Amino acid sequence: MAVDLLLGLQWGDEGKGKIVDVLTQDYDIIARFQGGPNAGHTLEFDGIKHVLHTIPSGIFHKNAVNVVGNGVVIDPVIFKKELDALKKFNLDINSKLFISRKAHLILPTHRLLDAASEASKGKAKIGSTLKGIGPTYMDKTGRNGMRIGDLELSDWKEKYRSLANKHEAMINFYDVDIQYDLAELEADFFKAVEELKLLTFIDSEEYLYQAQKAGKKILAEGAQGSLLDIDFGTYPFVTSSNTTAAGACTGLGVAPNQIGAVKGIFKAYTTRVGSGPFPTELFDEDGETMARVGNEFGATTGRPRRCGWLDLVALKYAVRVNGVTELMMMKGDVLSGFNKLKICTAYHYKGEQIEHFPYNIEAENVTPVYSEMDGWKEDLTNMTSADQLPKALNEYIAFLEKELEVPIKIVSVGPDRTQTILK
Ligand code: GDP
Ligand code: IMO
Ligand code: MG
């Protein structure tokens, strides 16, 4: 049985949590493959909104197993909070949620290092969520990290101590004013680790291999988005993992020839939270309308998201890098009421017009070239089937399908599970 992927194609927050929750009814296993609690995946049903950071978005479905894969970085303190928030739902966590022994641990000092690194950068800061993601992946690739499996060994606290001591020396090196009480942070961390140790740790690559062999359907859930990928994103304003399709292979131990459908998800416009270039960003009333109607505030940090028109140059690039086989368009409802909609179809780049995503997309290098389409007035949020969608929206969709050469299979018209139209 092939493993399907669900990935964000923009700068994150496309609506992955919602769609994974919707799709889980068709899968036996949902597996997160990269990122950490910098992610905030929102799902809504029965009038309740849930935000997950590390736990996969299939957790509310009784029959699905959720796996936190080896490519994920886990902060026990945040994980404990997530578990606490789930307690009232009486989910059988031990039989529904498995954690890879090879996943790396975010230590309190990784978070402090993130803060020190950002403070030292001044205006050039990345706008990190400050969850310790960069420093944890640095320790992973530097071969110094601590893994979930280490917690099963008797000497894990010694390992912790020596790594934390090194981090303290590094924090001092930055020479910035970071106030912290490590003893307090450690007390929380050790308490959370004890709770984490009550969960089921597995050799996840073996588990997923056997599940595949037994014919189980597996969906890999991405975090962040393709334009935040460490290699293909807008470096250095990116996260520290491969958010693109290949990351699912390394982040779960699934071979490339075992990948089936690649489901790519995008908003009908574009948003970005944190720093970094954003060619179609709007600083006018249209951008404010998108932010207000779309309620564009980060699910993890609460920061306002920057908003702009759909960038087809960037989207085409993401579709290619990921090998997307089907698309999902989110938040079409937010665009209801605009007279005209703009779509960026090319960039003016250093005196030429180009249609590929270049090395530099900063404002001094790139100016977007727009096509204009008619908007629609209708409220989409109560629509339930494709034949109800307004003509102008169907034209918008048809234009995107033609340009991207991939069908749009789902149109989302609101945050709730039920506000999902299959095409
Ligand atoms: P994720 O990180 O990709 O899971 O996305 P987030 O949860 O960070 O952000 C998406 C936001 O949009 C959440 O608040 C969702 O509840 C909301 N959302 C998802 N789909 C739709 C939609 O079709 N319409 C509207 N209006 N909101 C949506
Ligand atoms: P989900 O999974 C949107 C952004 C941060 C910052 C940059 C680096 O909810 O789509 P990091 O914490 O990794 O050091 O931040 O990446 N970022 C996200 N933006 N959605 C996310 O996740 C993000 N995770 C990180 O704002 O610009
Ligand atoms: Mg999010």
Side-chain angles (χ1 to χ4, degrees):
M1 213 51 207
V3 175
D4 294 341
L5 312 184
L6 184 293
L7 309 153
L9 300 179
Q10 296 160 318
W11 278 290
D13 302 331
E14 297 88 352
K16 298 174 291 292
K18 164 177 168 162
I19 290 298
V20 170
D21 172 58
V22 167
L23 296 178
T24 301
Q25 59 188 7
D26 301 330
Y27 288 91
D28 303 300
I29 299 171
I30 306 298
R32 259 285 293 272
F33 61 87
Q34 45 67 236
N38 48 348
H41 293 184
T42 314
L43 31 134
E44 268 186 58
F45 56 88
D46 299 340
I48 310 178
K49 174 172 156 176
H50 310 267
V51 182
L52 297 165
H53 301 286
T54 328
I55 294 175
S57 304
I59 196 71
F60 293 100
H61 290 256
K62 278 212 164 46
N63 300 325
V65 165
N66 289 260
V67 174
V68 179
N70 57 279
V72 176
V73 290
I74 298 176
D75 183 333
V77 177
I78 295 178
F79 208 92
K80 179 178 173 327
K81 284 190 191 141
E82 284 190 69
L83 289 172
D84 288 346
L86 291 178
K87 275 192 180 132
K88 57 177 178 286
F89 298 98
N90 287 323
L91 307 169
D92 181 6
I93 289 293
N94 283 75
S95 68
K96 280 179 56 70
L97 179 62
F98 300 158
I99 301 179
S100 173
R101 290 197 172 88
K102 294 192 177 75
H104 278 247
L105 281 167
I106 302 176
L107 311 187
T109 42
H110 282 130
R111 287 199 305 265
L112 297 172
L113 273 171
D114 222 353
S117 164
E118 282 285 78
S120 75
K121 286 193 158 114
K123 271 196 183 150
K125 73 175 183 183
I126 288 162
S128 168
T129 61
L130 303 178
K131 302 296 176 194
I133 305 300
T136 305
Y137 279 113
M138 275 165 70
D139 270 339
K140 174 178 176 173
T141 51
R143 298 162 295 177
N144 297 309
M146 279 189 73
R147 300 191 288 178
I148 287 288
D150 290 333
L151 300 176
E152 295 175 318
L153 308 174
S154 57
D155 67 345
W156 75 267
K157 279 200 178 166
E158 287 153 43
K159 266 195 173 165
Y160 166 81
R161 188 76 276 142
S162 85
L163 193 52
N165 286 346
K166 192 176 99 174
H167 290 162
E168 280 219 279
M170 289 165 74
I171 293 163
N172 290 333
F173 162 82
Y174 276 110
D175 197 22
V176 289
D177 186 24
I178 301 284
Q179 303 290 329
Y180 62 91
D181 178 347
L182 190 55
E184 196 181 306
L185 294 172
E186 279 179 352
D188 280 350
F189 178 73
F190 291 142
K191 199 166 148 214
V193 164
E194 289 315 313
E195 195 152 322
L196 196 65
K197 283 166 76 177
L198 301 175
L199 299 184
T200 312
F201 298 165
I202 60 167
D203 295 333
S204 51
E205 62 288 352
E206 172 67 13
Y207 174 81
L208 293 172
Y209 172 71
Q210 294 299 345
Q212 257 182 283
K213 249 175 87 170
K216 302 278 186 209
K217 289 194 74 184
I218 303 170
L219 178 67
E221 173 178 358
Q224 289 80 53
S226 302
L227 304 177
L228 290 170
D229 182 279
I230 183 72
D231 283 281
F232 297 104
T234 46
Y235 193 89
F237 301 100
V238 293
T239 191
S240 297
S241 61
N242 280 116
T243 59
T244 44
C249 296
T250 54
L252 294 173
V254 172
N257 64 355
Q258 300 302 305
I259 302 299
V262 180
K263 298 167 191 275
I265 173 167
F266 68 100
K267 280 179 190 167
Y269 49 100
T270 310
T271 66
R272 171 163 210 171
V273 59
S275 332
F278 179 179
T280 62
E281 183 169 12
L282 290 167
F283 301 94
D284 60 7
E285 226 173 83
D286 287 341
E288 282 163 26
T289 304
M290 289 172 191
R292 181 176 30 85
V293 180
N295 194 23
E296 295 294 357
F297 294 94
T300 295
T301 58
R303 291 177 294 175
R305 295 180 185 136
R306 302 152 63 192
C307 296
W309 298 114
L310 189 64
D311 183 343
L312 254 187
V313 178
L315 198 53
K316 268 184 196 168
Y317 170 73
V319 164
R320 281 179 205 164
V321 170
N322 289 301
V324 171
T325 59
E326 52 192 86
L327 288 161
M328 285 143 199
M329 190 176 90
M330 312 300 288
K331 296 193 125 173
D333 55 298
V334 175
L335 295 186
S336 292
F338 283 89
N339 279 332
K340 293 279 178 194
L341 300 173
K342 288 186 181 175
I343 301 177
C344 168
T345 48
Y347 292 155
H348 271 305
Y349 179 75
K350 300 185 177 175
E352 306 176 62
Q353 185 158 317
I354 60 166
E355 288 179 15
H356 75 277
F357 196 75
Y359 181 74
N360 284 317
I361 61 157
E362 288 74 19
E364 61 267 29
N365 297 305
V366 157
T367 321
V369 178
Y370 289 111
S371 291
E372 220 172 58
M373 297 194 72
D374 287 336
W376 55 89
K377 292 269 174 282
E378 294 85 340
D379 175 7
L380 311 180
T381 55
N382 292 315
M383 295 187 180
T384 51
S385 68
D387 56 13
Q388 294 172 305
L389 296 176
K391 183 166 161 276
L393 172 58
N394 281 329
E395 282 165 5
Y396 192 76
I397 290 171
F399 179 74
L400 299 182
E401 286 181 325
K402 187 170 136 279
E403 289 288 317
L404 297 167
E405 299 177 85
V406 182
I408 296 178
K409 292 281 184 75
I410 288 183
V411 179
S412 174
V413 292
D416 194 84
R417 220 184 231 177
T418 57
Q419 292 171 303
T420 310
I421 295 180
L422 305 181
K423 277 193 65 244

